[in-house]
Amino acid sequence: MPGRGRCPDCGSTELVEDSHYSQSQLVCSDCGCVVTEGVLTTTFSDEGNLREVTYSRSTGENEQVSRSQQRGLRRVRDLCRVLQLPPTFEDTAVAYYQQAYRHAGIRAARLQKKEVLVGCCVLITCRQHNWPLTMGAICTLLYADLDVFSSTYMQIVKLLGLDVPSLSLAELVKTYCSSFKLFQASPSVPAKYVEDKEKMLSRTLQLVELASETWLVTGRHPLPVITAATFLAWQSLQPAYRLSCSLARFCKLANVDLPYPASSRLQELLAVLLRMAEHLAWLRVLRLDKRSVVKHIGDLLQHRHSLVRSAFRDGAAEVETLEKEPPGQGQGQGEGEVGNNSLGLLQGKRPASPALLLPPCMLKPPKRTCPAPPVSTVTGDEDISDSEIEQYLRTPQEVRDFQRAQAARQAAPSVANPP
Amino acid sequence: MASAPRPERAPRLLAPCLTRYPPPPSPTTVGFLSMEEEETYLELYLNQCAAQDGLAPPRSPLFSPVVPYDMYMLNASNPETAFNLNPEVKETSGGFSPVDLSFLPDELTQEDKDQPVIGSKHETKENSESQSQQSRLPSSSEQDIGLGLNSPSLSNPHSQRHPSDTDLVQASPEKPDSNSLPLASITPMSPVTSVSECCGIVPQLQNIVSTVNLACKLDLKKIALHAKNAEYNPKVRFLISLLLTKLECNGAISQSRLAARKYARVVQKLGFPARFLDFKIQNMVGSCDVKFPIRLEGLVLTHQQFSSYEPELFPGLIYRMVKPRIVLLIFVSGKVVLTGAKERSEICEAFENIYPILKSFKKA
């Protein structure tokens, strides 16, 4: 850290404050040499590196700050260092923490919340600098619950009135893909599975863009989509050897956790690619399925813009026209029309009529129809008959039964109920 | 994912400058109530109501908006200390029926005939309230134009030009003609009907949370014993009772009131001197479907001050509308949930405000 002095052994400036039991020490992170140790005895060289100054020379800055706030600020700095963030982030995050601490509600919050607040400040700082840090990552580092994190995060954003940009998908792809251990051969990674990083990155990026355009990203957690895209990109770069590898195995040998939704994202992405393949002349004749389409992902991505336009009609407009016409008739007409209009320039077999470009949740049929509720003519002032009220009361016999049952339950020791 | 470069966002260090309130009124609102005046007028009115009711402010944590209809809580402690025993009942039926007059409270019809003075004072209050509501309407339509509903001009959410937030909101009053919004055509004197003019989609009410003061001490154990469908949890000291009236859309508010009256009758039958005071709707939840998919990422870019979209936490976008003060949950499938309303008209108004915005994000 600049301004903190150098390590006497190796001369590096990377000095970190670490504590050995209850004694705070200044340690060089390169060679491990202990630069200063506590304040009980100091030598001349120690004084040069001393962080804690004598009272007469202190500015008294820390006196005004409460212990828990100091602890929190230290945690913020530690978290920034663990994540290896640029130095400017640390100051911003610390400033946010201090700003949050000015509010009484935060000062009085539990320690768990203050701990999570540390993560929130770091996350906001990263978001504002387009640094792709996911909430899941922070929760893992802080051993925090995502629910606690989410409530604190929403509260602090509202409290401080902050403008937090969305997670940058492109940056997240780059960092996440780089974390896959596939770029060098190792005992767990066979030679045929090793891939060039740049090629994989660019292809994954294109697949993620395609997913985003076809409604697979909106409203969903971003990470599983990227996992699925990375897997497809990797497979498609050498399909002959890699088609046999499953998604789970892929994540295992790349040393990355497999998020649960990734397999369904994978299926959705494959379905999109299959639809696009039906509109490429030389692929249409091949009658591809979910496995064989992987071999042609390169081609599909190359022409993805025009393919998406031709393979998918505007789902929104389609839904509107279907609404206005009577359902049964409208479906047949819509399909027939589009089939006739599509792509006269493609000769040979007519491609399938374009599919609706809609988010998957709108493509699935509704589980149960919601009938329009009948218009009720209740005024709220109607008479309430006695008999109606009687039905809500227990008869004396029922009361006696109930009391007996309750007494019996309390008498018998409750074995079955967990504490 | 947009291939357009993201704007570099300067980190806002110590600048809590972004509030969620609209900018100062544009010159076009001269002649109507200005926004600040409206706000203070509204605040005054609410304060008066709160003072009269003696109730906690409407945002009290007791009444969370997501309580299902058939479980509502009564304050079991002695209500005489908590609530004001003023025998007035206000039902906020809003613009629900075409004839928006105050009605006589239950107390007057049943027992106390000697309180007509207070009753009439109430009527005038209701009338002035409805008048102030109506006088607010034209300014609301003006103000809405100023609230950044310049979406028709921002048809492509992924455009290269990313105007800053202040530009967004201030640019709109200068081009009111580009807004072919039907909002401006709301006539001030007609009550807010339940059919919105722009789309024919009507938000359906799903849930209503209301409270009523029974003004007597209740023995919860006795009620739990004698009433069916009642549960008493001694630790929490709340009695949960399930009344079997189902909630349906247009009758929702009166259904709620009917259910409350049934509850009071049940308690009366058990021998307690229950009365029916201060029936008040605390929260209403409505939902509807615009039937087209919505680009939430684009919406959060253009309406940053009002929206909060965190796909890692929740699949929907949370839109906090300032006027009316409603929170909307917008999902990618086009379904919209509106909550936080005290009156049905607020829900309709909020939906009418959001529909043009959503339409502009229809095209992929």
Side-chain angles (χ1 to χ4, degrees), chain A residues 50-62:
Chain A
L50 204 57
R51 277 186 71 248
E52 286 118 341
V53 296
T54 55
Y55 182 75
S56 52
R57 281 158 60 194
S58 73
T59 57
E61 195 182 282
N62 276 353

Side-chain angles (χ1 to χ4, degrees), chain A residues 180-195 234 249-250 252-255:
Chain A
F180 281 70
K181 303 258 181 303
L182 290 166
F183 311 120
Q184 280 170 340
S186 75
S188 52
V189 179
K192 294 294 178 194
Y193 284 6
V194 176
E195 189 50 71
W234 172 80
R249 190 161 159 244
F250 169 74
K252 200 158 169 209
L253 54 90
N255 203 15

Side-chain angles (χ1 to χ4, degrees), chain B residues 41 72 75 285 296 327 354:
Chain B
Y41 187 93
Y72 57 91
N75 202 334
V285 179
L296 300 178
V327 174
I354 202 76

Side-chain angles (χ1 to χ4, degrees), chain A residues 47-239:
Chain A
E47 297 247 350
N49 298 317
L50 204 57
R51 277 186 71 248
E52 286 118 341
V53 296
T54 55
Y55 182 75
S56 52
R57 281 158 60 194
S58 73
T59 57
E61 195 182 282
N62 276 353
E63 314 271 314
Q64 293 150 10
V65 172
S66 69
R67 268 190 205 282
S68 69
Q69 189 176 354
Q70 282 182 33
R71 197 182 313 131
L73 293 174
R74 236 176 291 140
R75 291 286 289 153
V76 170
R77 290 187 207 274
D78 289 343
L79 192 57
C80 291
R81 259 175 254 154
V82 164
L83 292 167
Q84 295 178 330
L85 301 176
T88 47
F89 287 32
E90 205 173 299
D91 300 327
T92 320
V94 161
Y96 281 135
Y97 196 87
Q98 285 168 334
Q99 198 180 348
Y101 231 82
R102 287 194 209 122
H103 295 261
I106 300 290
R107 279 198 302 269
R110 293 174 181 226
L111 279 180
Q112 183 199 33
K113 190 159 180 179
K114 287 177 178 156
E115 176 75 3
V116 161
L117 183 64
V118 166
C120 294
C121 294
V122 174
L123 176 70
I124 294 174
T125 313
C126 290
R127 284 278 190 96
Q128 291 184 333
H129 293 264
N130 266 350
W131 188 277
L133 185 60
T134 57
M135 295 187 183
I138 296 196
C139 288
T140 321
L141 281 174
L142 295 177
Y143 303 105
D145 238 345
L146 190 61
D147 316 320
V148 181
F149 187 87
S150 100
S151 61
T152 312
Y153 175 76
M154 302 300 279
Q155 182 192 359
I156 203 67
V157 168
K158 202 169 170 192
L159 204 58
L160 300 180
L162 290 175
D163 177 10
V164 185
S166 321
L167 191 58
S168 162
L169 216 53
E171 299 291 324
L172 184 61
V173 167
K174 285 186 208 143
T175 14
Y176 187 57
C177 279
S178 314
S179 73
F180 281 70
K181 303 258 181 303
L182 290 166
F183 311 120
Q184 280 170 340
S186 75
S188 52
V189 179
K192 294 294 178 194
Y193 284 6
V194 176
E195 189 50 71
D196 171 50
K197 190 165 169 184
E198 286 313 313
K199 273 200 254 171
M200 216 165 103
L201 267 182
S202 75
R203 193 161 273 203
T204 310
L205 216 51
Q206 289 175 347
L207 277 170
V208 170
E209 270 182 26
L210 176 65
S212 160
E213 219 181 298
T214 53
W215 296 103
L216 299 182
V217 169
T218 312
R220 274 104 169 258
H221 199 294
L223 212 63
V225 183
I226 305 181
T227 314
T230 314
F231 176 60
L232 275 183
W234 172 80
Q235 267 193 335
S236 66
L237 286 168
Q238 276 204 18

Side-chain angles (χ1 to χ4, degrees), chain B residues 160-175:
Chain B
Q160 298 275 345
R161 184 177 67 90
H162 283 282
S164 72
D165 288 339
T166 44
D167 284 349
L168 222 82
V169 181
Q170 280 166 7
S172 36
E174 289 146 28
K175 34 182 180 168

Side-chain angles (χ1 to χ4, degrees), chain A residues 92 96 127-128 135 153 163 165 212-213 218-220 320 378-382 384 386 388 392 394, chain B residues 1 9 12-13 224-226 228 254 257 261-262 265 294-295 297 304 309-312 315 362:
Chain A
T92 320
Y96 281 135
R127 284 278 190 96
Q128 291 184 333
M135 295 187 183
Y153 175 76
D163 177 10
S212 160
E213 219 181 298
T218 312
R220 274 104 169 258
E320 264 193 20
V378 174
T379 61
D381 288 318
E382 288 133 341
I384 306 171
D386 269 0
E388 192 179 351
Y392 290 118
R394 291 191 174 122
Chain B
M1 188 172 55
R9 288 187 184 272
R12 301 189 186 222
L13 272 186
L225 185 59
H226 287 271
K228 292 184 189 168
S254 18
R257 191 152 172 277
R261 283 177 58 227
K262 283 188 189 172
R265 282 287 293 277
I294 302 169
R295 287 276 173 207
E297 314 97 345
Q304 189 119 34
Y309 171 55
E310 295 289 339
E312 297 175 75
K362 197 160 107 176

Side-chain angles (χ1 to χ4, degrees), chain B residues 116-327:
Chain B
V117 179
I118 300 178
S120 60
K121 185 173 79 176
H122 232 318
E123 272 179 308
T124 53
K125 185 150 230 93
E126 289 283 339
N127 281 337
S128 65
E129 176 202 8
S130 54
Q131 268 174 17
S132 72
Q133 263 186 356
Q134 286 155 5
S135 69
R136 264 192 280 147
L137 278 175
S139 50
S140 81
S141 62
E142 293 293 329
Q143 204 56 38
D144 286 336
I145 295 178
L147 264 181
L149 289 182
N150 55 351
S151 20
S153 61
L154 273 185
S155 54
N156 182 6
H158 299 292
S159 67
Q160 298 275 345
R161 184 177 67 90
H162 283 282
S164 72
D165 288 339
T166 44
D167 284 349
L168 222 82
V169 181
Q170 280 166 7
S172 36
E174 289 146 28
K175 34 182 180 168
D177 46 317
S178 71
N179 284 325
S180 55
L181 300 173
L183 284 175
S185 67
I186 293 177
T187 56
M189 292 319 286
S190 69
V192 180
T193 57
S194 49
V195 176
S196 63
E197 292 169 320
C198 44
C199 42
I201 305 176
V202 180
Q204 308 290 328
L205 285 182
Q206 301 292 338
N207 187 18
I208 296 192
V209 177
S210 52
T211 52
V212 70
N213 178 9
L214 297 183
C216 70
K217 263 192 164 158
L218 301 171
D219 182 0
L220 296 182
K221 281 192 178 149
K222 185 179 173 196
I223 297 182
L225 185 59
H226 287 271
K228 292 184 189 168
N229 303 332
E231 251 180 65
Y232 174 59
N233 184 348
K235 282 190 206 157
V236 183
R237 274 199 280 226
F238 275 126
L239 183 74
I240 301 178
S241 161
L242 311 167
L243 277 185
L244 302 170
T245 42
K246 282 236 178 290
L247 184 65
E248 276 143 1
C249 75
N250 283 335
I253 294 163
S254 18
Q255 293 250 357
S256 172
R257 191 152 172 277
L258 185 61
R261 283 177 58 227
K262 283 188 189 172
Y263 193 86
R265 282 287 293 277
V266 169
V267 170
Q268 261 180 358
K269 271 251 182 263
L270 290 177
F272 299 100
R275 286 149 71 179
F276 192 78
L277 308 175
D278 305 332
F279 176 78
K280 185 171 172 207
I281 306 246
Q282 301 292 343
N283 183 34
M284 293 168 66
V285 179
S287 71
C288 56
D289 189 359
V290 301
K291 305 258 197 283
F292 52 79
I294 302 169
R295 287 276 173 207
L296 300 178
E297 314 97 345
L299 182 56
V300 76
L301 272 180
T302 48
H303 289 77
Q304 189 119 34
Q305 316 103 294
F306 309 110
S307 336
S308 157
Y309 171 55
E310 295 289 339
E312 297 175 75
L313 297 177
F314 187 65
L317 186 150
I318 303 171
Y319 192 100
R320 294 182 195 272
M321 197 176 280
V322 175
K323 187 169 161 46
R325 194 109 182 247
I326 303 273
V327 174

